[in-house]
Amino acid sequence: IAETQEITELIKKAADLIAERFEYYHVGIFILDNQRRTAYLQAASSEMGKTLIGQVFRIEPDRKNPITLVVANNRTIITHDLERSNFTRDPIFPLTRSRMIMPLSVRGSMIGILDIHSDQPQAFSMQDAEILQTLADLTAISFDNVRLIGETRNLLSQLEASTSQQTKQTWSKFTSRHKSAYQYTPAGIR
């Protein structure tokens, strides 16, 4: 994941690898807007999840919604179907028996959410949460690094274009003031 240099590929690879290696039936990655009021599903490992990519999820002040709680508290939430009071069955993912939602944070700022579904009851332990939070943090750092590299490349392109334009203008001014001439020297033509 850390070697990937394109954001879409990075997020897709992270979702697929987490689902595959840990045998979860759905992993989704949401990216938050700057105000943290909207989450956009950017990658999903399951076929049903892939049909939802690009959909918008509004972060509403709803204490029962686990995604809202993760955004509000910047901490992982684990729910399972044996705990009826905190578990909400999702009609889109009917096989979900356990769910873990964790923040994707970099430098103290939450940039997204990692949403993991398992078809096993009580599939997530605190040790799983620690391991997956480390993966979530590494994914967030990689995401931010790729974003910064992209911004740097854009700035470099702008600087090159500006420098080229300034050089062209400077040479145009210089050559318009001087007559064209050639001088033969021992070192060559000048």
Side-chain angles (χ1 to χ4, degrees):
I1 293 170
E3 295 173 0
T4 306
Q5 294 295 310
E6 203 264 308
I7 288 178
T8 306
E9 175 78 18
L10 181 139
I11 295 172
K12 181 184 177 316
K13 192 181 285 187
D16 289 342
L17 284 172
I18 291 169
E20 177 188 320
R21 301 287 164 93
F22 292 94
E23 299 179 354
Y24 299 130
Y25 97 93
H26 171 75
V27 174
I29 297 179
F30 293 85
I31 301 300
L32 296 170
D33 67 351
N34 291 337
Q35 293 79 30
R36 293 177 27 179
R37 295 188 183 182
T38 307
Y40 301 89
L41 181 62
Q42 297 294 306
S45 63
S46 68
E47 290 306 313
M48 180 49 123
K50 288 177 184 175
T51 65
L52 302 173
I53 290 177
Q55 286 200 350
V56 177
F57 178 82
R58 302 265 179 237
I59 308 297
E60 303 288 337
D62 175 8
R63 300 238 178 241
K64 294 180 183 179
N65 185 311
I67 290 178
T68 299
L69 290 172
V70 169
V71 172
N73 301 320
N74 196 13
R75 66 177 181 84
T76 300
I77 293 190
I78 299 172
T79 62
H80 53 84
D81 63 351
L82 300 177
E83 187 181 80
R84 300 275 182 220
S85 61
N86 290 340
F87 185 77
T88 304
R89 190 152 305 277
D90 188 340
I92 298 171
F93 301 105
L95 299 178
T96 299
R97 300 210 47 210
S98 300
R99 186 175 182 189
M100 180 167 23
I101 305 166
M102 51 188 34
L104 293 171
S105 298
V106 63
R107 289 189 288 283
S109 178
M110 185 186 302
I111 62 167
I113 302 160
L114 181 63
D115 185 15
I116 304 169
H117 296 245
S118 175
D119 56 2
Q120 302 299 312
Q122 295 181 318
F124 305 110
S125 68
M126 289 312 291
Q127 184 178 11
D128 294 330
E130 289 174 13
I131 292 168
L132 289 165
Q133 187 61 61
T134 300
L135 285 173
D137 291 344
L138 290 172
T139 300
I141 290 167
S142 296
F143 176 90
D144 198 49
N145 287 344
V146 170
R147 182 187 59 77
L148 290 172
I149 288 169
E151 287 178 7
T152 302
R153 284 182 181 146
N154 286 340
L155 289 173
L156 185 58
S157 292
Q158 291 173 3
L159 181 61
E160 286 174 347
S162 175
T163 302
S164 175
Q165 184 64 27
Q166 284 180 332
T167 301
K168 183 178 176 182
Q169 288 174 353
T170 302
W171 275 109
S172 292
K173 284 181 185 178
F174 179 75
T175 56
S176 68
R177 286 189 242 142
H178 296 84
K179 290 184 175 182
S180 298
Y182 296 95
Q183 181 180 19
Y184 296 96
T185 65
I189 300 173
R190 189 172 141 206

